Amino acid sequence: MTSSVETDVALSAAQAAAPSAAPARREADDPHSPVARFGAKAPLKLDAGVELPHLQIAYQTYGEPNAARSNAILLCHALTGDQHAASLNPVTGKPGWWDTMVGPGKPIDTERFYVICSNVLGGCMGTTGPASSSPVSGQPYGLDMPLVTIRDMVNAQAMLLDHLGIDQLLCVAGGSMGGMQVLQWAASYPERVFAALPIATGARHSAQNIAFHEVGRQAVMADPDWRGGRYLAEGVTPNRGLAVARMAAHITYMSDQSLHRKFGRRLQNRDMPTFGFDADFQVESYLRHQGESFVQRFDPNSYLYVTRAMDYFDLAADYGGALANAFRGSKTRFCLASFTSDWLFPTEEARTIVHALNASGASVSFTEIESDKGHDAFLLHEPELFAIARGFLDSAARAFGLPPARKD
Amino acid sequence: MTSSVETDVALSAAQAAAPSAAPARREADDPHSPVARFGAKAPLKLDAGVELPHLQIAYQTYGEPNAARSNAILLCHALTGDQHAASLNPVTGKPGWWDTMVGPGKPIDTERFYVICSNVLGGCMGTTGPASSSPVSGQPYGLDMPLVTIRDMVNAQAMLLDHLGIDQLLCVAGGSMGGMQVLQWAASYPERVFAALPIATGARHSAQNIAFHEVGRQAVMADPDWRGGRYLAEGVTPNRGLAVARMAAHITYMSDQSLHRKFGRRLQNRDMPTFGFDADFQVESYLRHQGESFVQRFDPNSYLYVTRAMDYFDLAADYGGALANAFRGSKTRFCLASFTSDWLFPTEEARTIVHALNASGASVSFTEIESDKGHDAFLLHEPELFAIARGFLDSAARAFGLPPARKD
């Protein structure tokens, strides 16, 4: 299907240096990641009803596979995440998005497990997305890239696992959109998923969540520099629109309480308001910074595609309207967690999944974690979440026949 | 101070017809409203530390004053409201924003009370705001208009009441930003407010609320047609940015439950998603409509000014950090209401006010109304709110010495 990982990396770095790669610059943004390529002989059939004849998937691995290749854990990232779950992100220079959770001795212990994380289909960190070159035109896809779904993302990940020689995952884990992928994995490939750890997620996107995403998309598309999605070919970027989209979304990732605790009504280095439209309050300055830094690392069209994939996600609808049908007969063991102050994916959404799993006879544990940090709690220092993940993985590993964790 | 109401109306209509009035078109948008004008001899001193030498206030009245002028109720409108509380809005052609509450035989009974509602300072329906002509340049103020606060709005309303010959209000009532004005009225002019009815409001704007407003302002200011606030003079309008701002804000006015009940995940006239970026879901189409219709009736700079006024509102801070100090010794009787599903001004905010009123020894009643309609419940058909308002006003009217309501 494709050449070895090492060769792929070399190719990718060479492409990044070639002048002709400029229009698709985002595809080559991350020469540090191995890339798996799939050609026209193994096209990905998309839910949109078309085939993607050329697919590349950028990924990272942490730890080593054991001889039986039975210690693999797949991490699924959220909307604006990427494959750098536990390694320095080459674009931001910051630790990976799940650095709190994944690493040597951490709950997802890379001394014990072989951890894989790939950039999602439609993303902009090396996996095929709207900023990638279309094999037809040689220009960035833009809106000519077909829309993708959470199931398409999961199917692409399954191709990557084939490529890596992993038949069955010890566990698939992720939060938010990552949790949607976990649920889709368990539904689409039950025999490949021994354990599933979906966090702060839902089996469908709610009307309110769709509404917030639509605001973000409209903000991007309202920016004249979006150019009907052809901005890369035209040498501009709708950064202002994307920054506004990120600001609106960022509010939904935090709780009212955490915003209050962090910023309250504190003014920015002043005792008095300025009576102007500069960032007077600290919370304004914080939000503007979130918007400005986001546009440095994310492709605006990718934002449209990936938010759309989340909006379309409705696992019950794909199984005749009954979520339990998605898991009927599943032998996967599930562990769910939600956070009390998460209003994007409130506990009620997790309970719906738990009820469906119970109805389908699946093995499931569920914890609502007390936290005032809102939706983003799954990315932050949450000792209760760490303890749950560690305990669940340890138990799953034993049941899967792995040797017990080494006690030093 | 100014000529009679009738003359003002005539002047205003004539101005609207004059070609030279074009740049300040929004100021003359509503020739149907009486306008009170205040000149340089009675300037409004603003919290920003400057004086507004020329002020005009557009207003509506409903019902008739009694001989003692003791049956007056002032209504304070919310962020995007106007003086048309109970009459057909001349811009939208729709009933006024509080048509459910105000009218003959309604809870705020215009057969019994003399009801006054004015467009707020900084607004765009005839009261001086950033779209008004600057007396210095003759051009629309734009950002040369000084910033205004909730207290400035209330001080302008007090000038209007002087103009109308109303010394003391039977009641001042309003929801959301209208409720902020009610609280400010009670704090600034306790002797002029016999009863106060603040609904779905808070004594300060929270960090989350400031954050959402900042997103809206950034959306407006990110639109290249905003032109640093000079769009009126340059013949353009940042409608795309303002529409995005409205969409984001509109989500905060509804509850998750009401969005779910109204739209759920229903698709727009189709059985299948389109796999495109058109409005696929009904909730998307609804939001887009909200954005598009809003820009027909609201001035983008006004949106910046009025949201800023709300953000600055922090009544406790103005009284040495203790909210009770704002009401110390007050003889005003208060009635508060909040809604269970209002997450913009949750019940906790109302409780903070109630506690302060109790601490200051004021008379207060408070009801949390069960509703799934979110913040906008105060504008909708809420029989419990109607009953509360009717009972409170009836009791206040009797205590104020008005004859009992006529029973037909």
Side-chain angles (χ1 to χ4, degrees):
Chain A
M1 257 196 265
T2 177
S3 52
S4 76
V5 164
E6 289 70 22
T7 315
D8 286 337
V9 178
L11 270 175
S12 183
Q15 281 187 323
S20 67
R25 62 182 170 80
R26 283 175 191 278
E27 188 175 329
D29 260 343
D30 191 358
H32 307 277
S33 291
V35 167
R37 291 199 175 76
F38 305 91
K41 285 182 188 166
L44 177 63
K45 196 168 179 296
L46 300 176
D47 277 337
V50 295
E51 290 185 342
L52 203 60
H54 293 279
L55 167 65
Q56 75 171 44
I57 302 177
Y59 63 97
Q60 286 288 331
T61 63
Y62 310 94
E64 296 297 330
N66 60 15
R69 301 185 92 72
S70 64
N71 64 336
I73 296 178
L74 177 70
L75 306 182
C76 301
H77 70 72
L79 170 55
T80 69
D82 52 41
Q83 64 271 34
H84 300 283
S87 43
L88 219 59
N89 189 302
V91 176
T92 65
K94 291 184 180 166
W97 58 270
W98 229 3
D99 185 65
T100 52
M101 179 72 99
V102 186
K106 294 184 183 177
I108 300 179
D109 187 349
T110 52
E111 290 182 335
R112 194 175 179 205
F113 304 120
Y114 176 54
V115 177
I116 305 157
C117 185
S118 65
N119 187 214
V120 294
L121 184 65
C124 53
M125 283 290 279
T127 293
T128 300
S132 302
S133 293
S134 155
V136 177
S137 68
Q139 289 290 306
Y141 270 116
L143 296 198
D144 291 335
M145 163 105 186
L147 256 72
V148 299
T149 64
I150 298 292
R151 183 158 55 190
D152 294 332
M153 292 175 183
V154 163
N155 288 338
Q157 287 159 359
M159 291 167 76
L160 174 66
L161 291 194
D162 292 341
H163 169 76
L164 296 175
I166 305 295
D167 289 333
Q168 190 178 13
L169 291 161
L170 168 63
C171 184
V172 53
S176 194
M177 187 182 86
M180 291 177 166
Q181 294 163 65
V182 172
L183 296 171
Q184 186 68 61
W185 260 103
S188 294
Y189 301 100
E191 75 290 348
R192 295 188 79 165
V193 180
F194 186 73
L197 179 58
I199 304 166
T201 194
R204 48 145 219 197
H205 224 210
S206 73
Q208 191 182 60
N209 289 357
I210 295 171
F212 275 116
H213 274 177
E214 173 66 1
V215 167
R217 287 190 294 265
Q218 289 293 319
V220 170
M221 297 194 287
D223 188 326
D225 284 343
W226 182 60
R227 307 276 174 98
R230 290 180 303 277
Y231 52 88
L232 282 179
E234 299 188 12
V236 291
T237 317
N239 279 342
R240 284 166 303 184
L242 184 62
V244 169
R246 176 62 168 183
M247 288 173 65
H250 195 82
I251 303 174
T252 70
Y253 303 151
M254 296 182 73
S255 69
D256 189 18
Q257 305 97 291
S258 62
L259 278 169
H260 182 72
R261 179 166 42 75
K262 270 184 123 147
F263 308 109
R265 294 182 44 83
R266 281 190 296 282
L267 295 168
Q268 183 77 354
N269 306 323
R270 294 176 202 104
D271 294 332
M272 282 281 291
T274 58
F275 290 101
F277 293 109
D278 286 339
D280 236 4
F281 293 98
Q282 289 181 9
V283 67
E284 293 176 301
S285 170
Y286 170 77
L287 272 188
R288 288 186 192 188
H289 173 75
Q290 293 297 327
E292 284 158 16
S293 55
F294 183 61
V295 304
Q296 304 301 319
R297 70 175 180 90
F298 215 83
D299 173 58
N301 280 339
S302 258
Y303 196 78
L304 305 184
Y305 276 74
V306 183
T307 55
R308 202 48 152 170
M310 288 182 77
D311 292 351
Y312 279 166
F313 188 63
D314 185 355
L315 196 53
D318 293 341
Y319 288 84
L323 187 58
N325 290 344
F327 309 112
R328 197 75 67 189
S330 174
K331 293 195 176 63
T332 303
R333 47 175 69 196
F334 291 84
C335 175
L336 281 87
S338 70
F339 299 94
T340 49
S341 59
D342 183 351
W343 57 281
L344 201 60
F345 289 99
T347 291
E348 193 191 333
E349 301 288 335
R351 286 226 174 82
T352 301
I353 302 167
V354 171
H355 292 162
L357 287 167
N358 284 333
S360 72
S363 152
V364 54
S365 76
F366 166 56
T367 311
E368 183 186 33
I369 297 171
E370 183 79 29
S371 165
D372 78 348
K373 297 190 191 116
H375 182 61
D376 266 357
F378 81 93
L379 297 169
L380 302 173
H381 182 76
E382 285 288 350
E384 194 175 349
L385 178 64
F386 300 157
I388 288 167
R390 189 184 293 275
F392 177 67
L393 287 177
D394 199 49
S395 154
R398 267 185 285 121
F400 202 49
L402 292 187
R406 201 179 54 182
K407 307 275 185 216
D408 289 329
Chain B
M1 255 196 265
T2 177
S3 51
S4 77
V5 164
E6 288 70 22
T7 315
D8 286 335
V9 178
L11 269 175
S12 183
Q15 281 188 323
S20 67
R25 63 183 169 79
R26 285 176 190 277
E27 186 175 331
D29 258 344
D30 191 358
H32 308 276
S33 291
V35 166
R37 290 198 177 76
F38 304 91
K41 285 183 189 166
L44 177 62
K45 194 166 180 300
L46 300 175
D47 277 337
V50 295
E51 290 186 342
L52 204 60
H54 293 278
L55 167 65
Q56 75 171 43
I57 302 177
Y59 64 97
Q60 286 287 330
T61 64
Y62 310 95
E64 296 296 331
N66 60 13
R69 303 184 92 72
S70 64
N71 66 334
I73 295 178
L74 177 71
L75 306 182
C76 301
H77 70 71
L79 171 56
T80 71
D82 52 40
Q83 64 271 35
H84 301 283
S87 43
L88 218 59
N89 189 302
V91 176
T92 65
K94 292 184 178 166
W97 58 270
W98 230 4
D99 186 64
T100 52
M101 179 71 98
V102 186
K106 294 183 183 175
I108 299 179
D109 187 350
T110 52
E111 290 181 334
R112 195 176 179 205
F113 305 120
Y114 175 54
V115 177
I116 305 156
C117 186
S118 65
N119 186 213
V120 293
L121 184 66
C124 53
M125 282 290 278
T127 293
T128 300
S132 303
S133 293
S134 153
V136 178
S137 68
Q139 289 289 307
Y141 271 114
L143 297 199
D144 292 335
M145 162 105 185
L147 256 71
V148 298
T149 64
I150 299 293
R151 182 159 55 188
D152 294 332
M153 294 175 181
V154 163
N155 287 339
Q157 288 159 357
M159 291 167 77
L160 174 66
L161 291 195
D162 291 342
H163 168 76
L164 296 174
I166 306 294
D167 289 334
Q168 191 179 14
L169 292 161
L170 167 63
C171 184
V172 53
S176 194
M177 186 183 86
M180 290 177 166
Q181 294 163 68
V182 172
L183 295 171
Q184 186 69 61
W185 259 102
S188 294
Y189 301 100
E191 75 291 348
R192 295 187 80 165
V193 180
F194 186 74
L197 180 58
I199 305 165
T201 195
R204 48 143 222 200
H205 223 212
S206 73
Q208 190 182 62
N209 290 356
I210 295 171
F212 275 116
H213 273 177
E214 174 65 2
V215 167
R217 285 190 294 264
Q218 289 293 318
V220 170
M221 297 194 286
D223 188 327
D225 285 343
W226 181 60
R227 307 277 173 99
R230 291 180 302 276
Y231 53 87
L232 283 179
E234 299 187 13
V236 292
T237 317
N239 278 343
R240 285 168 301 186
L242 185 62
V244 169
R246 176 61 168 183
M247 289 173 65
H250 196 82
I251 302 174
T252 69
Y253 303 151
M254 297 182 72
S255 69
D256 190 20
Q257 306 97 292
S258 63
L259 278 168
H260 183 74
R261 178 166 43 75
K262 270 184 123 148
F263 309 108
R265 293 183 45 85
R266 282 190 294 283
L267 294 167
Q268 183 78 351
N269 305 322
R270 295 175 200 104
D271 295 332
M272 281 282 290
T274 59
F275 290 101
F277 293 109
D278 285 339
D280 236 4
F281 294 98
Q282 289 180 11
V283 66
E284 294 176 301
S285 169
Y286 170 78
L287 271 190
R288 290 186 191 188
H289 173 75
Q290 293 298 326
E292 285 158 15
S293 56
F294 183 62
V295 303
Q296 304 301 317
R297 70 175 180 89
F298 215 83
D299 173 59
N301 280 338
S302 260
Y303 196 78
L304 305 184
Y305 276 73
V306 183
T307 55
R308 202 46 153 170
M310 288 181 76
D311 292 351
Y312 279 166
F313 188 63
D314 185 354
L315 197 52
D318 293 340
Y319 288 84
L323 187 56
N325 290 344
F327 309 113
R328 198 74 68 189
S330 174
K331 293 196 175 62
T332 303
R333 45 175 70 197
F334 292 83
C335 175
L336 280 89
S338 70
F339 299 93
T340 49
S341 59
D342 182 352
W343 56 282
L344 202 59
F345 290 97
T347 292
E348 193 190 333
E349 301 287 334
R351 286 225 174 85
T352 300
I353 302 167
V354 171
H355 291 163
L357 287 167
N358 284 334
S360 72
S363 152
V364 54
S365 75
F366 166 56
T367 311
E368 182 185 33
I369 298 170
E370 183 79 29
S371 165
D372 79 347
K373 296 190 192 117
H375 182 62
D376 267 357
F378 81 92
L379 298 168
L380 303 172
H381 183 77
E382 285 289 350
E384 192 175 350
L385 178 64
F386 300 159
I388 288 166
R390 191 184 291 276
F392 177 66
L393 287 176
D394 200 48
S395 154
R398 268 186 283 119
F400 202 49
L402 293 186
R406 203 179 54 182
K407 307 276 184 214
D408 290 327

